[in-house]
Amino acid sequence: MVDLTILESAVSKGAVCLDGTPPGYYFDKGHGEGVNNWIIYFLGGGWCYNVTNCLDNTKTNRGSSKFAPKQKIFYGILSNNKTINPDFYNWNRVMVTYCDGSSFTGDVEEVDPATNLYFRGARIFHAMIEYFLAEGMKDAKNAILTGESAGGLPALIHCDRFRALLPNTPRVKCLADGSYFLHRKNNKEMSYMETVNEGLINLHHSAKMLPDSCTSKMKPSLCLFPQYFQDGIKTPIFIVNSMFDTFQINITFPGYFWDLLNNTCPASHVKTLQDFKQEFVSALPKQFNTSSRGMFIDACLFHVHIVRGNIWNALSLYDKTMAKAFSDWYFDRSLVQFIENRDLPLNCYQFPLKTSPCS
């Protein structure tokens, strides 16, 4: 169990949660050979894209550090268990709370007196990184920026910024888990996602934080979809995602997830899911045979992976666990661009048994 620490100094920088409380983090200090290595992990928590939604978030840990758990268990890539996490167990491992509702992209100076909402996610990102630079990360030999879902998206959006803040660190790379949100072109369900994106950008003033390699070519609401901006990221990135990501399945095909989880797969689902998988795979990076892009794309009915129970050290593709696949890529031992050869999703909740509800 790792204790919560509130970063009180962030308030003076205007880096606060939706309700104005200072952000928090959980920190397990490195030791031995890992003392000069760092992992910064950003928790997810969805977006708030209108005032009502954001006010609701302030009543939870998604909008206020007042409700953040006092302790967190560090699993997976954050675990201090050498058997589970042999390459990173003794690193400095930081988990940052998620309370801004914007994937750490908001930066609005004014506070509406009618709502008292603060849209300062980008400031939280910078305040946290600056704090840990001063705590020793500036001398890091190795560093990883990572996160899950809405907290994994900034691992892509801010990846080059993170690299720039560590000019003397030999190896800096980024890892996004469950964050490769797909834009389905000419699809009615995705008109909803574009509306959500536009709401977030207008409310949080996020456009200025998005990669200009993307916003110079298309409207900012599309530049929250990694498929449109990942090729402009200069720092090496690794994508962990299910091709049947449950968050995206739930939004795009309401009801499908529960059918699949209950091991029922009506014939009407099969073609729809196969088409979705093909769209997802087609949207992945095309830079094959290069160390700048790594991938571990499975077919499990999961949303996030790398700090989820024993998934990190047990889920395998091509006879290599996720933990081994990522560490081999990170330390330049091998190229890793794994995409599971499945056309339909797998129910992996009875892990390690993987079964297909559609077989």
Side-chain angles (χ1 to χ4, degrees):
M1 302 296 290
V2 181
D3 293 334
L4 171 69
T5 301
I6 299 298
L7 188 63
E8 301 285 356
S9 62
V11 176
S12 64
K13 300 176 181 179
V16 293
C17 302
L18 287 168
D19 69 340
T21 56
Y25 65 86
Y26 308 85
F27 176 36
D28 199 12
K29 192 171 179 60
H31 59 89
E33 294 182 357
V35 71
N36 290 320
N37 300 328
W38 290 77
I39 297 176
I40 307 291
Y41 185 95
F42 284 86
L43 281 164
W47 291 346
C48 72
Y49 46 90
N50 59 50
V51 169
T52 300
N53 184 231
C54 292
L55 285 171
D56 287 343
N57 278 9
T58 62
K59 302 169 187 174
T60 73
N61 63 350
R62 292 181 296 162
S64 173
S65 61
K66 290 187 296 186
F67 302 105
K70 300 305 179 187
Q71 292 183 315
K72 294 282 285 187
I73 299 176
F74 277 16
Y75 288 117
I77 196 173
L78 299 180
S79 173
N80 66 354
N81 185 316
K82 186 176 181 179
T83 301
I84 294 171
N85 190 30
D87 288 289
F88 309 108
Y89 76 97
N90 59 356
W91 287 30
N92 295 283
R93 286 153 290 115
V94 180
M95 178 184 282
V96 179
T97 61
Y98 183 90
C99 63
D100 72 291
S102 74
S103 288
F104 300 92
T105 62
D107 190 6
V108 180
E109 179 63 34
E110 304 79 14
V111 179
D112 186 343
T115 64
N116 288 317
L117 287 169
Y118 294 77
F119 303 113
R120 305 278 183 81
R123 298 189 192 189
I124 293 174
F125 172 83
H126 286 292
M128 282 290 174
I129 299 302
E130 287 170 8
Y131 175 77
F132 285 106
L133 286 170
E135 288 293 299
M137 190 169 66
K138 63 178 173 53
D139 298 317
K141 294 179 180 178
N142 297 285
I144 299 170
L145 179 66
T146 182
E148 64 180 37
S149 191
L153 192 60
L156 299 176
I157 291 172
H158 295 309
C159 186
D160 286 338
R161 292 187 180 96
F162 184 67
R163 164 77 271 188
L165 291 169
L166 291 164
N168 298 318
T169 300
R171 184 181 285 111
V172 179
K173 299 185 181 183
C174 301
L175 164 62
D177 178 16
S179 310
Y180 208 85
F181 304 115
L182 177 65
H183 179 230
R184 304 190 72 214
K185 303 169 188 176
N186 303 317
N187 181 277
K188 64 180 181 180
E189 288 88 355
M190 283 301 101
S191 63
Y192 164 75
M193 283 300 295
E194 289 180 31
T195 300
V196 168
N197 290 8
E198 288 172 2
L200 179 136
I201 286 169
N202 292 334
L203 196 61
H204 295 265
H205 294 190
S206 297
K208 57 189 173 184
M209 299 307 299
L210 302 179
D212 57 13
S213 60
C214 180
T215 56
S216 63
K217 296 183 290 187
M218 59 184 67
K219 58 184 181 179
S221 61
L222 292 178
C223 294
L224 284 163
F225 293 111
Q227 68 202 79
Y228 296 129
F229 71 80
Q230 64 78 26
D231 61 349
I233 300 172
K234 297 180 177 62
T235 307
I237 61 172
F238 194 94
I239 297 163
V240 170
N241 226 97
S242 171
M243 62 181 75
F244 300 103
D245 180 280
T246 55
F247 171 79
Q248 300 190 62
I249 293 292
N250 274 330
I251 285 182
T252 312
F253 314 115
Y256 276 38
F257 171 63
W258 294 110
D259 286 341
L260 295 166
L261 196 60
N262 292 322
N263 286 317
T264 56
C265 182
S268 59
H269 289 12
V270 172
K271 178 67 163 59
T272 304
L273 290 167
Q274 288 175 333
D275 289 346
F276 179 85
K277 175 252 181 171
Q278 187 56 50
E279 286 184 65
F280 182 85
V281 171
S282 296
L284 290 169
K286 302 299 189 292
Q287 299 99 315
F288 288 103
N289 299 317
T290 171
S291 60
S292 70
R293 295 294 183 270
M295 289 182 279
F296 190 99
I297 309 299
D298 61 90
C300 290
L301 287 168
F302 289 152
H303 178 39
V304 296
H305 301 67
I306 66 174
V307 295
R308 181 177 188 160
N310 67 345
I311 301 302
W312 174 246
N313 194 47
L315 185 63
S316 297
L317 289 180
Y318 305 104
D319 298 321
K320 190 175 285 192
T321 66
M322 183 181 298
K324 185 73 166 72
F326 176 72
S327 62
D328 281 354
W329 174 83
Y330 181 79
F331 291 109
D332 301 308
R333 295 193 286 252
S334 67
L335 299 179
V336 177
Q337 292 163 335
F338 293 169
I339 301 175
E340 188 155 18
N341 186 24
R342 299 274 184 173
D343 286 328
L344 291 166
L346 295 170
N347 185 343
C348 305
Y349 284 86
Q350 297 177 338
F351 202 78
L353 177 64
K354 295 197 295 185
T355 60
S356 175
C358 300
S359 58

